[in-house]
Amino acid sequence: MTTTDADTDGSTAAAAACHAEGPKTAFRPDPDAVTDHDLGIHGYAQQKDAHLKRLRRIEGQIRGLQRMLEEDVYCIDILTQVSASTKGLQSFGLQLLEEHLRHCVADAAVKGPEAIDEKVKEATKAIERMLRT
């Protein structure tokens, strides 16, 4: 799936609202902020370094696939590596989804029923996209 495929269901606006970045100026706490989410802090912020490390490992697996193909490795061995790479991405996606639920959806719960409905709908669409892959 491409980014534009994901954008066609309207999730771009919701994602932008969830993780809107303010101007790149000195940090000034928002007096109206209820949660850290209101300050533009992403749900994955505390695990960012671990996530980057994990994605680099997956990137290495993909590069390994390229090498295997260049070296004419047996098809089944390549498919085994494809499966490992796919599982790595799925696991990463599930972790990110969990962090979204804990952070963005929990933030919406503080703000009321309309915000909750919007975030649950957004999360449901994300789950649907993950299941299609």
Side-chain angles (χ1 to χ4, degrees), residues 88-107:
L89 278 172
Q90 288 172 339
S91 177
F92 171 74
L94 286 173
Q95 180 65 42
L96 214 55
L97 178 63
E98 179 181 346
E99 290 166 358
H100 174 72
L101 293 172
R102 289 183 188 278
H103 189 258
C104 299
V105 177
D107 173 75

Side-chain angles (χ1 to χ4, degrees), residues 51-70 73 77-92:
H51 288 323
L52 288 170
K53 182 178 178 182
R54 189 175 204 174
L55 287 172
R56 287 185 190 108
R57 188 176 322 120
I58 294 167
E59 179 183 20
Q61 289 176 312
I62 301 303
R63 289 178 195 264
L65 282 167
Q66 293 170 346
R67 277 192 304 279
M68 292 173 84
L69 202 61
E70 289 169 352
V73 173
D77 295 336
I78 296 172
L79 288 170
T80 300
Q81 185 66 21
V82 167
S83 177
S85 301
T86 301
K87 287 184 186 288
L89 278 172
Q90 288 172 339
S91 177
F92 171 74

